């Protein structure tokens, strides 16, 4: 009995000693200038993290932690939210999310028009998922550094039920599409996203988009849209967007708001006026943007949508048909079309940069203007585009210089503006280096905080952080993220506001941003002293309609 009692006492003493020696927190961030995501002035204080949660904000001088970071002189903020991300593709092959993590992005939001589900059997290849929710679970099960969320794509819904045909949806087809929206919302989609300049999205009429948005509104979702025109028909396109939002009674956001083409730059005033008017009436209308004067999309955006009906093979066959090709070239050369003619919006082939060729024999043209490529090939610019589309399999990633610097600054000043890269999140290594890219892939968020906040003082730092964190989280009804508050998930970025810089350029884009020192996602450190730790703690972030 005495032996048993001795061992029992020894066990209790050992347990007490272990508890007394254990840390109060897993992580303490000390002495940082804390921006809580509300837009309020910062305070110098400490943050204590336990597991995946912000446990304490306040004086922690007497507390201990396994990891202590002295953030004196540094900004401590909620993790940034990328409102428009194409990392749904790149994260499948590389979950580190290097180009965005190095800018402090802890949440990637997908779904500009197309989404990774729902897929019917004809749409599936070897994907181990079918629904949007299954894709997001697959991604996080595989391992990713940032959190992920998605809208369900209106284009994906249309292809699922109708295909790529240029026709109006029947009542039965609309009902089927609405049911797919409801399923996606219950799986956690944030709402419905559209991208209306592209085929087959272009084929959807306003009534179809209202119907899809009404289904999302049943779950308090959001409608987001790359509107039908950002150029010559910008005002008509925003009117359609506002009609969808008001008729469906849904919160709505314009993707990458811009006035494209010099002749359209003054139209931004009218767009601002319309947004302000609707917001004053109680409609939650908002926008997002990337911090550059150049857009990026496929060179197929210079061709009419009718030519792209059906499959890529159908498109290429039309380009090869002399009679049809002549009609395509005529429309591309016209300054008066009802579709978004990127060739005309650019104003000159000098303003079109060809970036992403898939065929090895064409990669010599990466990073060159359409003018230079045309000269080398001995053909005029429009025939050069069509020839390259045929040779490269139907598309080429390109950059179009269509916006003004003055308008970029004016957009940043709008209180409802959030930010998205409209790009993948990649590592500057390996196969990635064989193609060029838009510098927004590496610099969208650092460019805001460096060039436009610190250097040009377009908006204050606390306002910029709010627009990167609290504003998008609130707009999308995302719970327990977007703010530094006790009880919220510990998505935290620590950066040097005096040195944060975007380094990527159009001529040398594969350069990481600098100035972000530490990043935590769900309490785990993903970036330490600017270097990726290899941690993959990302989770699925679900919308307000989620049903477990």
């Amino acid at each position: 009995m005495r032996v048993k009692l001795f061992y029992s006492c020894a066990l209790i003493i050992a347990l007490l000693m272990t508890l007394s020696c254990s840390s109060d927190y897993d992580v303490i961030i000390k002495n940082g200038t804390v921006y809580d995501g509300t837009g309020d002035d910062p305070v110098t204080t400490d943050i204590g993290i336990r597991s995946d949660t912000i446990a304490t904000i306040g004086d922690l001088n007497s507390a201990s932690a396994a990891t202590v970071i002295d953030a004196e002189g540094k900004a401590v903020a909620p993790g940034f939210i990328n409102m428009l991300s194409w990392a749904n593709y790149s994260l499948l092959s590389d979950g580190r999310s290097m180009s965005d993590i190095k800018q402090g992005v802890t949440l990637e939001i997908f779904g500009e028009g197309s989404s990774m589900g729902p897929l019917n059997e004809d749409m599936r290849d070897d994907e181990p998922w079918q629904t949007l929710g299954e894709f997001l679970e697959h991604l996080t099960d595989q391992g990713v550094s940032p959190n992920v969320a998605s809208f369900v794509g209106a284009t994906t819904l249309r292809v699922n039920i109708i295909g790529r045909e240029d026709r109006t949806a029947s009542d039965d087809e609309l009902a089927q599409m609405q049911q797919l929206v409801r399923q996606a919302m219950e799986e956690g989609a944030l709402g419905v996203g559209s991208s209306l300049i592209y085929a087959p999205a272009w084929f959807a009429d306003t009534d179809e988009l209202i119907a899809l948005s009404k289904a999302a509104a049943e779950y308090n979702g959001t409608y987001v849209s790359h509107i039908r025109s950002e150029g010559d028909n910008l005002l008509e396109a925003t009117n359609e967007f506002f009609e969808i939002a008001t008729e469906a009674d849904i919160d709505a956001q314009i993707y990458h708001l811009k006035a494209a083409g010099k002749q359209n730059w003054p139209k931004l005033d009218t767009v601002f006026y319309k947004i302000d008017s609707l917001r004053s009436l109680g409609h939650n209308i908002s926008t997002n943007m990337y911090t550059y004067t150049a857009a990026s999309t496929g060179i197929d955006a210079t061709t009419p949508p009718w030519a792209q009906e059906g499959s890529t093979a159908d498109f290429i066959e039309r380009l090869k048909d002399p009679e049809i090709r002549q009609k395509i070239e005529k429309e591309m050369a016209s300054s008066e079309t009802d579709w978004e003619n990127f060739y005309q919006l650019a104003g000159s082939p000098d303003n079109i940069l060809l970036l992403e060729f898939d065929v090895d024999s064409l990669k010599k043209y990466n990073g060159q203007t359409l003018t230079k490529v045309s000269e080398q090939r001995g053909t005029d610019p429009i025939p050069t585009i069509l020839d390259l589309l045929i040779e490269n399999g139907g598309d080429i990633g390109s950059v179009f210089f269509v916006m003004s610097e003055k308008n970029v600054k004016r957009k940043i000043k709008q209180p409802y503006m959030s930010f998205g890269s409209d790009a993948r999140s990649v590592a500057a290594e390996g196969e990635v280096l064989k193609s060029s890219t838009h510098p927004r892939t590496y610099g969208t968020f650092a460019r805001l905080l460096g060039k436009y906040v610190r250097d040009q003082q377009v908006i204050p730092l606390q306002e910029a952080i709010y627009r990167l964190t609290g504003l998008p989280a609130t707009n999308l009804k995302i719970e327990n993220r977007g703010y530094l508050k006790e009880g919220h998930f510990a998505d935290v970025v620590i950066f040097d506001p005096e040195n944060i810089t975007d380094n990527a350029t159009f001529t040398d884009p594969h350069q990481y941003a600098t100035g972000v020192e530490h990043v935590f996602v769900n309490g785990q450190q993903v970036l330490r002293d600017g270097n990726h730790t290899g941690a993959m703690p990302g989770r699925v972030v679900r919308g307000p309609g989620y049903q477990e």
Side-chain angles (χ1 to χ4, degrees):
M1 177 65 77
R2 289 179 179 176
V3 172
K4 288 183 179 180
L5 182 61
F6 171 79
Y7 280 115
S8 297
C9 291
L11 182 62
I12 292 170
I13 292 169
L15 179 61
L16 290 173
M17 289 179 66
T18 300
L19 290 173
S20 66
C21 293
S22 65
S23 301
D24 299 304
Y25 300 93
D26 296 312
V27 178
I28 291 178
I29 301 167
K30 298 182 66 66
N31 307 317
T33 305
V34 175
Y35 297 80
D36 64 6
T38 63
D40 290 343
D41 291 337
V43 296
T44 300
T45 189
D46 307 329
I47 295 176
I49 297 171
R50 288 197 195 99
S51 184
D52 61 358
T53 303
I54 297 172
T56 304
I57 299 177
D59 184 357
L60 296 176
N61 279 331
S62 60
S64 62
T67 299
V68 177
I69 295 174
D70 187 352
E72 184 175 3
K74 305 298 189 296
V76 181
F80 302 152
I81 297 175
N82 186 347
M83 267 300 305
L84 201 179
S85 171
W86 287 104
N88 47 326
Y89 294 102
S90 54
L91 289 175
L92 280 170
S93 57
D94 184 353
R96 292 174 296 168
S97 193
M98 291 287 286
S99 55
D100 274 2
I101 283 291
K102 281 179 168 288
Q103 295 182 79
V105 173
T106 61
L107 172 57
E108 304 279 358
I109 296 179
F110 317 133
E112 185 200 355
S114 64
S115 56
M116 304 300 275
L119 308 177
N120 61 31
E121 288 307 314
D122 290 336
M123 298 167 74
R124 293 181 76 179
D125 191 2
D126 296 322
E127 294 89 353
W129 68 84
Q130 184 166 2
T131 71
L132 179 58
E134 288 170 354
F135 163 74
L136 294 171
E137 291 284 358
H138 171 80
L139 200 58
T140 53
D141 288 348
Q142 183 176 285
V144 290
S145 294
N147 298 310
V148 294
S150 185
F151 290 87
V152 62
T155 306
T156 302
L157 298 168
R158 175 169 252 270
V159 173
N160 188 300
I161 300 301
I162 299 172
R164 300 182 63 86
E165 300 175 37
D166 184 0
R167 64 174 177 83
T168 302
S170 68
D171 290 343
D172 180 62
E173 288 167 336
L174 270 183
Q176 292 180 64
M177 292 163 70
Q178 285 183 308
Q179 191 55 38
L180 289 177
V181 172
R182 294 185 183 102
Q183 178 185 350
M185 294 300 296
E186 291 175 6
E187 289 182 330
L190 300 171
V192 172
S194 68
S195 51
L196 301 177
I197 74 163
Y198 306 107
W202 172 264
F203 307 146
D205 60 23
T206 306
D207 289 340
E208 179 179 319
L209 299 165
I210 291 172
L212 299 182
S213 296
K214 283 183 175 179
E218 295 171 12
Y219 297 86
N220 201 22
T222 301
Y223 173 66
V224 290
S225 182
H226 179 155
I227 55 179
R228 208 174 292 271
S229 173
E230 298 169 327
D232 294 343
N233 299 304
L234 172 62
L235 300 184
E236 293 82 356
T238 50
N239 285 340
E240 179 189 39
F241 171 82
F242 299 139
E243 180 183 355
I244 294 165
T246 54
E247 287 295 315
D249 192 21
I250 191 170
D251 292 353
Q253 183 163 146
I254 298 176
Y255 273 133
H256 46 56
L257 176 66
K258 65 174 71 71
K262 189 172 183 178
Q263 69 275 22
N264 299 309
W265 293 349
K267 294 179 180 178
L268 205 56
D269 285 324
T270 303
V271 177
F272 290 157
Y273 174 78
K274 289 181 177 181
I275 293 174
D276 289 339
S277 297
L278 282 170
R279 287 173 61 84
S280 70
L281 295 173
H283 298 285
N284 186 12
I285 304 295
S286 57
T287 60
N288 64 63
M289 65 177 288
Y290 44 85
T291 49
Y292 296 85
T293 57
S296 183
T297 190
I299 199 71
D300 62 338
T302 63
T303 67
W306 61 261
Q308 302 172 50
E309 182 181 4
S311 67
T312 301
D314 294 332
F315 177 39
I316 292 174
E317 283 305 308
R318 293 188 188 102
L319 298 179
K320 291 179 178 179
D321 184 296
E323 186 175 341
I324 298 176
R325 179 177 173 125
Q326 185 177 25
K327 183 180 178 183
I328 292 171
E329 290 185 3
K330 184 177 180 180
E331 284 199 33
M332 291 172 66
S334 173
S335 59
E336 296 183 4
T337 59
D338 64 351
W339 51 277
E340 191 82 302
N341 189 336
F342 265 78
Y343 182 78
Q344 294 297 322
L345 292 178
S348 165
D350 291 334
N351 293 329
I352 300 175
L353 205 61
L354 303 176
L355 297 182
E356 298 179 37
F357 289 91
D358 299 317
V359 176
D360 287 342
S361 62
L362 300 176
K363 289 184 178 181
K364 60 188 177 183
Y365 300 134
N366 274 329
Q368 296 188 34
T369 66
L370 178 59
T371 298
K372 290 183 178 180
V373 175
S374 298
E375 290 172 351
Q376 292 174 57
R377 293 172 68 94
T379 52
D380 289 337
I382 288 178
T384 297
I385 290 174
L386 301 186
D387 290 342
L388 289 173
L389 282 169
I390 294 170
E391 295 170 33
N392 201 60
D395 203 10
I396 303 154
S398 304
V399 160
F400 300 82
F401 292 88
V402 292
M403 291 172 276
S404 77
E405 181 68 14
K406 178 181 178 182
N407 276 352
V408 167
K409 294 177 185 177
R410 295 176 66 222
K411 288 186 294 181
I412 290 172
K413 290 181 179 179
Q414 303 310 308
Y416 45 75
M417 184 67 71
S418 55
F419 298 87
S421 68
D422 196 8
R424 301 169 298 159
S425 183
V426 297
E429 58 192 47
E431 289 296 314
V432 170
L433 301 179
K434 293 182 179 180
S435 291
S436 191
T437 189
H438 193 301
R440 67 189 184 189
T441 303
Y442 291 89
T444 295
F445 309 96
R447 188 174 179 84
L448 171 68
L449 299 172
K451 176 179 178 177
Y452 291 110
V453 172
R454 179 190 62 236
D455 299 341
Q456 300 188 7
Q457 301 181 354
V458 176
I459 57 174
L461 181 55
Q462 62 264 35
E463 174 70 12
I465 290 173
Y466 163 64
R467 308 267 214 82
L468 290 168
T469 59
L471 176 65
T474 299
N475 279 339
L476 299 179
K477 297 97 174 176
I478 294 172
E479 296 184 353
N480 298 320
R481 298 187 193 273
Y483 299 93
L484 295 182
K485 292 183 178 180
E486 293 178 359
H488 276 48
F489 290 108
D491 299 337
V492 184
V493 54
I494 303 169
F495 67 95
D496 184 346
E498 295 302 316
N499 290 301
I500 191 166
T501 303
D502 66 295
N503 297 304
T505 66
F506 287 100
T507 55
D508 190 7
H510 294 296
Q511 299 187 77
Y512 294 122
T514 49
V516 173
E517 298 182 0
H518 307 283
V519 175
F520 291 84
V521 177
N522 298 312
Q524 293 191 42
Q525 191 161 12
V526 175
L527 202 71
R528 180 184 297 116
D529 296 320
N531 299 308
H532 204 293
T533 65
M536 302 283 186
R539 299 177 184 173
V540 179
V541 172
R542 297 180 172 89
Y546 175 60
Q547 297 183 13
E548 191 170 354

